[in-house]
Amino acid sequence: MKNTTTAIQVLDRAVGLLDSLSHYPEPVPLKFLTADTGLHASTAFRILAALTAHGFVERTDSGNYMLGTRLLQLGHRVKAGTDVRREARAVMEWLRDQVEESVNLTLREGDEVVYVERVTPARSIRVEQVIGSRAPLHVTAVGKLMLGEMDDESLENYASRTNLERYTRNTLTDLDGLKTEARSSVAQGYALDNEEAELGVGCIGVLIRDGSGKVVAGLSISAPIERRKEDWIPLVLEAGRRISARLGFTG
Amino acid sequence: MKNTTTAIQVLDRAVGLLDSLSHYPEPVPLKFLTADTGLHASTAFRILAALTAHGFVERTDSGNYMLGTRLLQLGHRVKAGTDVRREARAVMEWLRDQVEESVNLTLREGDEVVYVERVTPARSIRVEQVIGSRAPLHVTAVGKLMLGEMDDESLENYASRTNLERYTRNTLTDLDGLKTEARSSVAQGYALDNEEAELGVGCIGVLIRDGSGKVVAGLSISAPIERRKEDWIPLVLEAGRRISARLGFTG
DNA sequence: GAATCGTTTTCACAATATGAAAAATACTAC
DNA sequence: GTAGTATTTTTCATATTGTGAAAACGATTC
């Protein structure tokens, strides 16, 4: 567990505890948390008590710890991409119903995309992205489009910063290949991800633009690779156009 | 701004900053936050820097502060009512489409209900509950049902603890009236809220139970009072039954 | 009923967060 | 343009605050 360290120790520790908590599907005893974080029991206890008082953590009757509803509240007040998320929701549901696959909305954040909204179909085998999770630009359909929007220099900087880490055998790890792919994706208006982030998963992604023409998000279908159909491309393009239109884009 | 105070000062302050941040619809400059929280500029700055490093806060290009996507992530990992929320979603959408009004899912937390999930109709005038917001039991339809499930003593304790605070002229503020209403609501299987929490807003609520028969949540329609129809009662009951059934309740 | 394990409280200590002040940066107005 | 003002950021000496050892408490288990 990587632990970001800042100028304020308690905060680092508190965040570490929340982080640890978020990894458990069930409420956990103090013991587990001290084990994860390496904190002294009394220290962890004290911090958790404070977090509990603020509703960031809740305790079960048995005294176990879990994330608190205050986080739900704050999560819903996050402004990043508020407009896009609100406007996108209905269209995402429409697209999901057309193809019966998971549809995700992503925001760019630095060298990564963050999954901020998702709708899933009612079938037992489906692709599920965790809200808030991240992936580097070069391994996702939407990310490749974002890279394709950059000028050569920025793209090269991205490559040297991140080293184009390999995720699967299909990941584009050489600058030239990536550049070609990114450019042609932008040219055709959509990008594919052929198991480049995860084996077995294929995506079709497009960019979302706001009234000023700026790229504000990405929309993609994620499906088991053998179910993914290129026929869906027009649908994804259409969905992207609709969301962009709602945001005032007149492209 | 009430500020819960715990054994750990920095945490209180950090939470205060997040809280302040959550009240603004747009990114704000440091100035505003120091004004809200009363913190010294350098102190607020330092704490915000730490929160930013952890993704709890983000800064715009102009240097203004806003809540960060890390909160989205943690919010989605909150376990409270996870099962119910997941199972309820589809049924809530169905109900929303039947009546074209907002549908809310609430959890009980102490003497209050917390709104944890919501779907809204595509009409311009509609009731919107903020996810994470709270209301005392005696002013909501679902809450009255929860009160009706208690024994006399617990109900009386609730009344004396909370003083049955008045929200509108329709709020039930006397123990006897509340008791009668709560009991009969439970008997009929649903409760109405006739502008008891907010003037102009009417609700129809039912309880959700899990496999063990325990009440785990509440479901309600919230509509402008003049649009609310008693015809909807069977639909809400049906939706409640469906969700409970998904959780293994066999009535 | 003793022993073991986990949680909670207490408390003396020093490491940590603090805020005054200074430096840097961004605005405004003239 | 320049002077002036407001805001953000860095620095640093200080004492306040968070720390963790140890002890008290509470469950379980043997």
Side-chain angles (χ1 to χ4, degrees):
Chain A
M1 193 161 295
K2 62 133 211 288
N3 262 327
T4 318
T5 136
T6 73
I8 304 181
Q9 199 186 54
V10 222
L11 273 182
D12 297 348
R13 292 174 164 185
V15 171
L17 285 167
L18 291 175
D19 211 19
S20 168
L21 274 174
S22 78
H23 286 63
Y24 291 97
E26 295 300 325
V28 286
L30 184 61
K31 188 78 183 310
F32 287 30
L33 301 173
T34 59
D36 283 357
T37 57
L39 292 178
H40 193 257
S42 74
T43 305
F45 177 79
R46 193 162 5 91
I47 296 174
L48 286 166
L51 289 172
T52 304
H54 288 295
F56 280 64
V57 167
E58 277 166 35
R59 306 195 66 178
T60 60
D61 308 323
S62 56
N64 287 3
Y65 296 91
M66 59 196 281
L67 295 178
T69 50
R70 186 50 144 11
L71 289 166
L72 265 186
Q73 175 176 19
L74 287 172
H76 277 265
R77 296 252 172 111
V78 171
K79 291 307 177 288
T82 287
D83 298 349
V84 200
R85 279 179 11 239
R86 189 184 48 236
E87 299 301 334
R89 177 118 224 153
V91 178
M92 290 172 70
E93 288 175 0
W94 169 82
L95 182 57
R96 184 245 344 245
D97 294 341
Q98 298 297 307
V99 303
E100 286 286 302
E101 295 289 354
S102 300
V103 175
N104 294 297
L105 189 74
T106 48
L107 296 183
R108 175 170 172 196
E109 207 158 273
D111 289 341
E112 302 175 310
V113 291
V114 190
Y115 291 82
V116 294
E117 193 77 69
R118 125 199 122 173
V119 298
T120 52
R123 44 201 303 186
S124 44
I125 297 189
R126 62 192 183 207
V127 179
E128 290 222 9
Q129 289 298 343
V130 174
I131 298 290
S133 66
R134 291 149 193 283
L137 296 176
H138 68 285
V139 308
T140 66
V142 164
K144 286 190 293 185
L145 287 165
M146 290 171 171
L147 287 169
E149 291 271 312
M150 299 177 182
D151 56 33
D152 271 9
E153 193 188 338
S154 310
L155 215 162
E156 281 152 23
N157 286 340
Y158 169 85
S160 59
R161 256 200 314 278
T162 66
N163 246 351
L164 303 182
E165 197 189 339
R166 176 177 294 285
Y167 273 59
T168 72
R169 67 177 115 82
N170 288 7
T171 307
L172 298 170
T173 56
D174 67 304
L175 178 56
D176 284 343
L178 179 64
K179 202 185 282 186
T180 312
E181 165 83 0
R183 296 283 182 246
S184 73
S185 294
V186 165
Q188 68 195 4
Y190 67 89
L192 297 181
D193 157 12
N194 296 308
E195 308 183 77
E196 292 156 43
E198 193 181 342
L199 286 181
V201 176
C203 305
I204 305 174
V206 298
L207 295 176
I208 307 293
R209 294 168 191 279
D210 69 7
S212 70
K214 190 171 66 119
V215 171
V216 291
L219 179 79
S220 60
I221 295 184
S222 295
I225 190 73
E226 68 280 5
R227 288 207 305 241
R228 192 195 58 185
K229 299 191 186 55
E230 307 237 336
D231 301 359
W232 295 343
I233 292 169
L235 293 171
V236 187
L237 285 167
E238 173 61 21
R241 266 196 299 271
R242 286 198 203 171
I243 299 173
S244 295
R246 284 191 182 211
L247 296 170
F249 180 63
T250 51
Chain B
M1 194 160 297
K2 62 131 212 288
N3 262 327
T4 318
T5 137
T6 72
I8 304 181
Q9 198 186 54
V10 222
L11 273 183
D12 297 347
R13 293 174 164 186
V15 171
L17 285 166
L18 291 175
D19 211 20
S20 166
L21 233 24
S22 79
H23 286 64
Y24 291 98
E26 295 299 324
V28 286
L30 183 64
K31 188 75 184 310
F32 286 31
L33 300 174
T34 59
D36 283 356
T37 57
L39 291 178
H40 193 240
S42 75
T43 305
F45 177 79
R46 194 160 5 89
I47 296 174
L48 286 166
L51 289 172
T52 304
H54 288 295
F56 280 65
V57 167
E58 279 167 34
R59 306 195 66 177
T60 59
D61 307 324
S62 57
N64 286 3
Y65 295 90
M66 59 197 279
L67 295 178
T69 49
R70 186 50 148 2
L71 289 166
L72 266 186
Q73 175 176 18
L74 288 173
H76 277 266
R77 297 252 173 109
V78 172
K79 290 305 177 287
T82 288
D83 298 349
V84 201
R85 280 180 8 241
R86 189 184 47 235
E87 299 302 334
R89 178 117 224 155
V91 178
M92 290 173 70
E93 288 175 1
W94 169 81
L95 182 57
R96 184 250 337 251
D97 294 341
Q98 298 297 308
V99 302
E100 286 286 301
E101 295 289 354
S102 299
V103 175
N104 294 298
L105 188 75
T106 49
L107 296 183
R108 175 166 171 201
E109 207 158 272
D111 289 341
E112 304 175 309
V113 291
V114 190
Y115 291 82
V116 294
E117 192 76 68
R118 130 199 116 171
V119 297
T120 51
R123 43 199 306 185
S124 45
I125 297 187
R126 63 191 183 209
V127 180
E128 291 223 9
Q129 289 298 343
V130 175
I131 298 289
S133 67
R134 291 148 193 284
L137 296 176
H138 68 281
V139 309
T140 65
V142 163
K144 287 190 294 186
L145 287 166
M146 289 172 171
L147 287 169
E149 291 272 312
M150 297 178 184
D151 56 33
D152 271 10
E153 195 189 336
S154 310
L155 214 161
E156 282 153 21
N157 285 341
Y158 170 84
S160 60
R161 254 200 316 277
T162 65
N163 248 350
L164 303 182
E165 197 189 340
R166 177 178 292 286
Y167 273 60
T168 72
R169 68 176 114 83
N170 288 7
T171 307
L172 297 171
T173 56
D174 67 304
L175 178 55
D176 284 344
L178 180 63
K179 203 185 283 187
T180 311
E181 165 83 0
R183 295 284 182 244
S184 73
S185 295
V186 166
Q188 67 193 6
Y190 67 89
L192 297 182
D193 157 13
N194 296 308
E195 307 184 77
E196 291 156 44
E198 193 182 342
L199 286 181
V201 176
C203 304
I204 304 174
V206 297
L207 295 176
I208 307 293
R209 294 169 191 278
D210 68 7
S212 70
K214 192 172 65 122
V215 171
V216 291
L219 179 79
S220 60
I221 294 185
S222 295
I225 190 73
E226 68 279 6
R227 289 208 304 241
R228 191 195 59 185
K229 299 191 185 55
E230 307 239 335
D231 301 358
W232 295 343
I233 292 169
L235 293 170
V236 186
L237 286 168
E238 173 61 20
R241 266 195 299 273
R242 287 197 202 173
I243 299 171
S244 295
R246 286 190 181 211
L247 297 169
F249 180 63
T250 52

